[in-house]
Amino acid sequence: MTTDRKFTVIAHRGASGYLPEHTLEGVAMAHAMGVDYIEQDVVLTRDNVLIVLHDLYLDAVTDVADRFPDRQRSDGRRYAIDFTLEEIRSLRVHERVDSSGNAEFPGRYPHGDALFRIPTLAEEISLIQGLNRSSGRNVGVYIEPKSPAWHRSEGRDLVGELVSVLNHFGYTGREDQACLQSFDTKFLQYARHELHSDLKLVQLIGDNSWGESDVDFDFIRSQKGLESIVNLVDGIGPWLLQVMHISKQKIPDISDLTARAQQLGLFVHAYTLRADELPAEIGGIGNASRFLLHNVGLDGVFTDHPDQVIRALV
Ligand code: CA
């Protein structure tokens, strides 16, 4: 089936199904795959530089424990905010591992070689803008400041730093290829009303059990909840299982969240479609992609395997 409707493909942490997440190599690969946006998670270093890293701490994707054995906090983790950019640049990045040191996605890029580094946000945007120039495309950035409330408790203005870097690189308004995404509504309000940013804003929606922020996501998904953010944000980013539910017995159920949000004029970009994390019942990422576009009616998806989604939808 073909459709004229534009489906936005967002490379989740780069082409993270193929190369370690949030590395410049993975960004270049995602760009070459023809995605619309590449996603960045950002945190601050001790010297207040934005780096592209998913966790507040460095342990799950780098060799920080070997290099800096004595720099953990009381929870045993080594936080990016306790390290200078120079120290962070010296770390080697590998595929994500769990707390026992096992690869979270065992079939992905092999652990063990030391090719990869953590980029700054400025370096990553420079690379994307350079590739945009040389390819004649306009791939966007889709950025999540990680745990802005935690950064504030550490005395830092994560969202303020982010908006100023984006402004520096020419991303200032809704017409620009940039989205600022957050689970924490307070910081979207901060960006819009205190920093007076006109960037596209996206309310991420999690599950209350995850403890992502003090936002009540059950409320946000309700009609009243969506109406409470419709004048603030341009779109929502729900979890995939909030727009569809997969059961063994039948074709997936579709929730009305997507349609209700779109009726209010919001776009819906769900996260995260992974070829190696799908129940067998759905019949592969190609089927899942077509179902999300044609049946669920999503406007776009975050995916670790953007080439497979794009191939399925042409
Ligand atoms: Ca993210």
Side-chain angles (χ1 to χ4, degrees):
M1 199 191 328
T2 57
T3 178
D4 292 336
R5 197 157 63 79
K6 174 68 187 149
F7 189 74
T8 299
V9 178
I10 305 147
H12 181 247
R13 309 183 199 168
S16 59
Y18 302 95
L19 282 163
E21 67 184 51
H22 290 322
T23 56
L24 293 181
E25 291 83 351
V27 167
M29 188 176 189
H31 196 288
M33 287 173 169
V35 300
D36 301 292
Y37 286 92
I38 299 173
E39 192 220 14
Q40 295 80 28
D41 297 298
V42 293
V43 303
L44 284 167
T45 65
R46 189 163 127 194
D47 37 352
N48 223 38
V49 180
L50 286 163
I51 56 169
V52 187
L53 182 72
H54 176 269
D55 304 332
L56 297 174
Y57 48 89
L58 295 153
D59 302 77
V61 294
T62 77
D63 59 351
V64 67
D66 299 333
R67 299 284 320 292
F68 299 96
D70 305 327
R71 298 275 295 273
Q72 73 268 44
R73 291 195 177 191
S74 55
D75 63 1
R77 287 167 165 163
R78 294 158 186 86
Y79 284 74
I81 208 165
D82 297 330
F83 291 79
T84 63
L85 178 62
E86 191 182 348
E87 289 170 332
I88 287 172
R89 281 192 197 284
S90 76
L91 301 176
R92 306 294 189 265
V93 173
H94 52 66
E95 268 292 325
R96 173 167 291 274
V97 295
D98 62 22
S99 52
S100 328
N102 299 313
E104 209 152 288
F105 297 95
R108 293 192 179 181
Y109 195 89
H111 197 283
D113 49 23
L115 292 171
F116 308 106
R117 303 286 189 279
I118 293 176
T120 66
L121 178 63
E123 289 167 343
E124 182 157 332
I125 293 176
S126 294
L127 175 64
I128 292 169
Q129 292 192 340
L131 288 167
N132 283 346
R133 182 181 163 97
S134 57
S135 67
R137 303 189 62 240
N138 191 13
V139 174
V141 294
Y142 207 122
I143 308 183
E144 181 186 357
K146 298 304 285 190
S147 303
W150 181 87
H151 276 87
R152 184 169 281 180
S153 74
E154 296 278 320
R156 305 299 186 95
D157 181 10
L158 177 63
V159 174
E161 297 294 334
L162 172 56
V163 168
S164 94
V165 168
L166 286 171
N167 288 347
H168 171 78
F169 280 95
Y171 303 105
T172 58
R174 285 183 173 83
E175 69 284 1
D176 296 320
Q177 283 293 95
C179 292
L180 197 166
Q181 44 162 340
S182 183
F183 286 103
D184 197 332
T185 316
K186 282 193 306 294
F187 285 89
L188 295 169
Q189 289 165 337
Y190 172 63
R192 185 71 90 219
H193 300 310
E194 292 181 58
L195 301 174
H196 306 291
S197 174
D198 189 41
L199 289 164
K200 287 190 280 285
L201 301 180
V202 177
Q203 171 74 58
L204 295 174
I205 304 178
D207 189 272
N208 284 346
S209 68
W210 300 345
E212 268 293 341
S213 74
D214 54 10
V215 174
D216 179 354
F217 296 115
D218 293 340
F219 171 71
I220 292 282
R221 285 190 289 154
S222 71
Q223 195 60 27
K224 277 209 165 79
L226 290 176
E227 286 166 5
S228 76
I229 56 169
V230 73
N231 292 323
L232 173 68
V233 300
D234 303 278
I236 60 169
W239 185 33
L240 265 183
L241 294 187
Q242 293 169 334
V243 299
M244 62 186 286
H245 178 72
I246 302 161
S247 67
K248 287 193 191 303
Q249 274 71 38
K250 50 183 180 175
I251 60 163
D253 299 319
I254 298 167
S255 86
D256 64 359
L257 177 60
T258 303
R260 286 191 292 110
Q262 289 168 340
Q263 276 161 19
L264 292 172
L266 299 170
F267 61 75
V268 183
H269 295 160
Y271 64 91
T272 305
L273 189 57
R274 298 181 167 107
D276 47 3
E277 197 186 55
L278 282 172
E281 294 74 24
I282 199 144
I285 190 171
N287 274 345
S289 304
R290 288 184 287 270
F291 187 82
L292 291 170
L293 171 61
H294 300 299
N295 299 69
V296 179
L298 287 182
D299 298 287
V301 74
F302 292 83
T303 177
D304 291 4
H305 299 91
D307 57 328
Q308 297 186 49
V309 174
I310 290 167
R311 202 182 309 136
L313 298 181
V314 290

